[in-house]
Amino acid sequence: METKNRTIFFEVCNLSISFGGLDALNDISFEVHKGEIFSIIGPNGAGKTTLFNCINGIYKPDGGHIIFKGQKIQGKRPDYVARLGIGRTFQNIELFTHMSTMENLMLGRHRYIKAGLLRGAIMWAKRSFAGREEVAHRRKVEEIIDFLDLQSVRNKFVGSLPYGTQKQVELGRALAMEPELLLLDEPCSGMNSEEKQDMIFWIKDIQDALGITILLIEHDMKMVMDISNRILVINFGKIVTEGSPEEVQKHPEVLRAYLGEQDNLENIA
Amino acid sequence: MGELVQTLVSGIAVGSSYALMGLAMVIIYKTSEVINFAQGEMALLSVFLTYMVLEYYHFPFYVAFPSALAFALLLGFFLEFAVLRRAKEPNVLGMIIITIGLEMILMGFVSWKFGAEPKTMRFPLSPYDSLSLGEIFVSSLEALTFVVALTLMTVLFLFLRYSKLGIAMKATQQNKMAARLMGIRTNRILMITWGISSLVGCTAGLLIAPTIMQPYMMWDPMLKGFAAAVLGGMTSLPGSVFGAYIIGVVENLFGGYVSIEFKSAVAFFIIVLVLCIKPSGLFARHYVKKV
């Protein structure tokens, strides 16, 4: 009874999408609880990123529901989904490359900024409405810059930053939106081990300190097993299994589909 | 000496109308990287409708001109919404071809509805009144165009740089997907861009109409405006305005001292030169995309 009365935080229900004859996702269902780190793993081409694209509205699924805070969001526009409080980072970084780090993060605040043309035009001092608003948002962005150690690149064009730092800026921009659900698509790809350690630390911190629920796609098995509360395994667009890291590691199909050979068992344990 | 200064001043005067067209093109290019070849004809339609309102329905100027601007705004909204947004899997080249198609349709419509013979547009200022500063003569219409071009440039510059909408436009241009994920309705942004651009173009049209008014009146200013925008780097508003002055002045000097027949060709000779020597344009901060 209890589970029925509780409002579902985030749920995907019988989601399907196909491109041409290819079933990219086939009858995917899972639920994410508030405050957890929920990882999605699977081999390349399994449909992980497609799933993210369905969630934040880039693709319109052929069937099924996606429910966020009691509201159906499948087929809605990406900007609408973003305004509901779902943030996202990409596997291949999508930043405003000709803007500074600060400006990128300020764009994350876009949905909160209220001063329109008129009030913006009469912004002469810090005491005006637009002035106060600007100060408040900059303060928030500065907090994120401190949180992610981005002080040194605050005013640099992000296009010229190293790859790992760009990933950080993208994470920062997603955080600036103050999302309730954050979709991270391979946040550690292309990073060196030191940057990876930092990223893992921040992801945990985002969960603990900021209370943001995280949906994570990642190939680094050690990291996934380390930080996830629960894991969903998909392959060829279908669910293989779902459960805690311990359960998933023992699942025979996971070993076959994801790791190929029995010998690799020790590596993930 | 007086003659030279007069040529320079007329050059700047002529450049002002190119500047307005250049601004209009830059605004659309800045958000979508589409070069809008229908820019002139969008203005043409607004101008001819203004003519109709003034001549056939005898409305006063203070009704006709604001409604022309409002119509231009809506026309921009409409064309983006009804035509460009319908393009399936659009790419920039396809979009440019669509604008060329629009250009022909609008031009055909105006020629069919109003005929190709030249008309005279009534205007509060006569193009033949002139202000004289010593030996230099400037028509009051030219002076007005100059002031309007500079004012619009300043307003648009501030708007794009500092307003929320302006920043959303900048974000849309740089990364449409990311902009949508920030909660920006990029479709609406593009629509607003077209509206504003059409409005600026219409202003240019209304200021050109008293001197010359027939269905081909906007073609030359549009091409020169485009030239000016390229000269200024295609994304810089001040760049396009100063590019327009350069083209206007050089054109007039060339017409006055070398050859009147090749006067118009000079603009394009300048473009070729600029593209050879400084391909990013004179005013653009050029960003190189790192691979």
Side-chain angles (χ1 to χ4, degrees):
Chain A
M1 277 311 280
E2 263 183 37
T3 48
K4 286 231 168 125
N5 291 332
R6 182 174 54 87
T7 44
I8 295 160
F9 178 66
F10 181 81
E11 187 183 29
V12 170
C13 208
N14 306 110
L15 192 73
S16 302
I17 185 169
S18 59
F19 300 109
L22 178 82
D23 286 336
L25 289 176
N26 192 351
D27 208 21
I28 300 279
S29 301
F30 63 91
E31 195 190 329
V32 179
H33 307 303
K34 197 166 173 51
E36 73 177 348
I37 296 183
F38 188 91
S39 292
I40 298 164
I41 60 171
N44 287 327
K48 304 182 295 292
T49 300
T50 307
L51 179 58
F52 271 21
N53 284 344
C54 288
I55 293 172
N56 67 8
I58 297 169
Y59 294 155
K60 307 221 176 308
D62 299 332
H65 305 301
I66 303 170
I67 294 162
F68 178 61
K69 292 194 294 181
Q71 193 176 349
K72 285 184 185 172
I73 58 164
Q74 77 275 9
K76 296 270 195 265
R77 291 188 319 271
D79 51 276
Y80 179 84
V81 175
R83 271 178 268 139
L84 283 181
I86 299 185
R88 160 152 196 201
T89 67
F90 284 86
Q91 192 176 347
N92 308 311
I93 304 165
E94 302 277 356
L95 284 168
F96 304 109
T97 39
H98 301 158
M99 295 188 198
S100 71
T101 303
M102 186 77 192
E103 287 172 307
N104 266 279
L105 296 195
M106 279 302 275
L107 266 161
R109 303 298 297 166
H110 190 84
R111 72 183 180 121
Y112 297 106
I113 290 177
K114 291 199 189 65
L117 262 189
L118 272 180
R119 287 192 287 190
I122 51 172
M123 172 184 154
W124 295 119
K126 285 182 179 172
R127 288 207 310 280
S128 66
F129 174 82
R132 269 180 291 143
E133 195 185 30
E134 179 88 6
V135 169
H137 287 299
R138 283 195 178 251
R139 193 162 289 151
K140 179 77 200 165
V141 166
E142 288 296 342
E143 276 172 30
I144 292 163
I145 286 179
D146 284 343
F147 180 71
L148 293 176
D149 273 338
L150 288 167
Q151 294 91 341
S152 59
V153 296
R154 183 190 281 124
N155 294 318
K156 292 202 174 124
F157 282 124
V158 295
S160 62
L161 297 175
Y163 189 82
T165 318
Q166 290 196 17
K167 288 226 138 186
Q168 252 167 276
V169 175
E170 206 190 12
L171 178 64
R173 191 184 59 187
L175 287 179
M177 296 175 68
E178 295 184 55
E180 286 181 60
L181 177 67
L182 185 56
L183 314 182
L184 301 178
D185 195 344
E186 298 198 22
C188 292
S189 69
M191 286 187 160
N192 63 35
S193 61
E194 193 183 329
E195 288 170 328
K196 221 177 235 182
Q197 284 306 317
D198 285 344
M199 188 55 92
I200 292 171
F201 172 79
W202 285 318
I203 291 174
K204 276 183 179 160
D205 228 25
I206 290 167
Q207 181 194 24
D208 296 340
L210 306 177
I212 295 172
T213 313
I214 294 171
L215 250 165
L216 175 76
I217 294 177
E218 184 52 60
H219 277 299
D220 185 328
M221 292 312 289
K222 189 174 174 304
M223 167 180 172
V224 169
M225 297 302 167
D226 198 25
I227 66 173
S228 311
N229 297 102
R230 286 189 305 135
I231 296 172
L232 175 78
V233 187
I234 55 178
N235 195 11
F236 299 116
K238 292 197 188 81
I239 293 185
V240 176
T241 183
E242 188 207 309
S244 68
E246 294 75 28
E247 288 164 3
V248 166
Q249 280 180 52
K250 292 190 189 100
H251 196 278
E253 240 182 291
V254 173
L255 299 176
R256 193 148 34 87
Y258 201 69
L259 300 159
E261 288 174 35
Q262 289 277 318
D263 301 345
N264 290 340
L265 228 172
E266 288 78 28
N267 295 347
I268 56 168
Chain B
M1 189 59 203
E3 197 194 346
L4 178 67
V5 177
Q6 178 67 57
T7 318
L8 290 177
V9 170
S10 315
I12 289 180
V14 150
S16 298
S17 56
Y18 302 163
L20 284 169
M21 289 308 290
L23 283 176
M25 296 195 90
V26 163
I27 296 167
I28 288 184
Y29 186 84
K30 261 175 107 82
T31 33
S32 57
E33 300 194 339
V34 170
I35 296 157
N36 178 16
F37 283 107
Q39 198 77 63
E41 272 58 34
M42 284 158 69
L44 185 74
L45 184 61
S46 313
V47 168
F48 271 79
L49 287 177
T50 317
Y51 173 80
M52 192 172 84
V53 167
L54 282 172
E55 292 298 314
Y56 302 163
Y57 301 106
H58 305 291
F59 278 101
F61 293 117
Y62 61 82
V63 177
F65 285 179
S67 45
L69 295 177
F71 172 78
L73 192 71
L74 293 178
L75 179 70
F77 288 168
F78 173 76
L79 289 181
E80 199 284 329
F81 180 78
V83 184
L84 284 127
R85 196 179 295 182
R86 303 300 145 203
K88 265 250 184 302
E89 291 172 25
N91 59 35
V92 171
L93 186 60
M95 295 297 230
I96 293 174
I97 303 293
I98 291 177
T99 68
I100 294 177
L102 277 179
E103 187 265 314
M104 290 175 178
I105 292 169
L106 291 173
M107 166 85 89
F109 176 77
V110 169
S111 308
W112 165 73
K113 185 83 179 68
F114 297 94
E117 72 279 4
K119 299 182 171 48
T120 353
M121 173 95 152
R122 288 194 290 136
F123 200 78
L125 288 173
S126 157
Y128 308 110
D129 285 344
S130 54
L131 313 163
S132 61
L133 305 152
E135 295 177 5
I136 313 302
F137 290 95
V138 188
S139 83
S140 37
L141 183 68
E142 286 171 341
L144 179 68
T145 312
F146 179 74
V147 173
V148 168
L150 280 187
T151 315
L152 268 180
M153 178 195 84
T154 317
V155 170
L156 286 171
F157 182 77
L158 292 174
F159 167 70
L160 288 176
R161 168 94 28 126
Y162 296 111
S163 75
K164 185 186 179 192
L165 194 58
I167 288 167
M169 285 179 178
K170 194 174 160 192
T172 305
Q173 179 229 342
Q174 291 194 10
N175 192 332
K176 205 170 164 187
M177 178 49 63
R180 300 185 81 179
L181 290 175
M182 297 299 106
I184 295 169
R185 291 186 69 168
T186 50
N187 279 340
R188 185 173 287 179
I189 295 289
L190 286 179
M191 197 165 113
I192 294 171
T193 310
W194 273 72
I196 294 174
S197 165
S198 167
L199 185 88
V200 176
C202 173
T203 315
L206 289 176
L207 290 166
I208 292 167
T211 356
I212 169 174
M213 187 165 170
Q214 32 99 345
Y216 299 98
M217 63 185 257
M218 294 309 288
W219 184 242
D220 190 57
M222 195 274 287
L223 276 185
K224 301 282 173 58
F226 174 44
V230 171
L231 201 59
M234 218 50 217
T235 53
S236 158
L237 295 172
S240 75
V241 169
F242 293 113
Y245 291 149
I246 292 172
I247 287 178
V249 166
V250 172
E251 196 180 75
N252 256 28
L253 284 176
F254 195 82
Y257 292 99
V258 186
S259 150
I260 195 91
E261 285 87 359
F262 287 104
K263 192 179 156 191
S264 278
V266 170
F268 297 95
F269 180 69
I270 300 175
I271 293 189
V272 172
L273 261 187
V274 168
L275 288 181
C276 286
I277 297 165
K278 197 167 184 300
S280 53
L282 294 179
F283 292 83
R285 281 180 296 164
H286 193 56
Y287 306 107
V288 183
K289 209 167 201 172
K290 282 200 173 176
V291 186

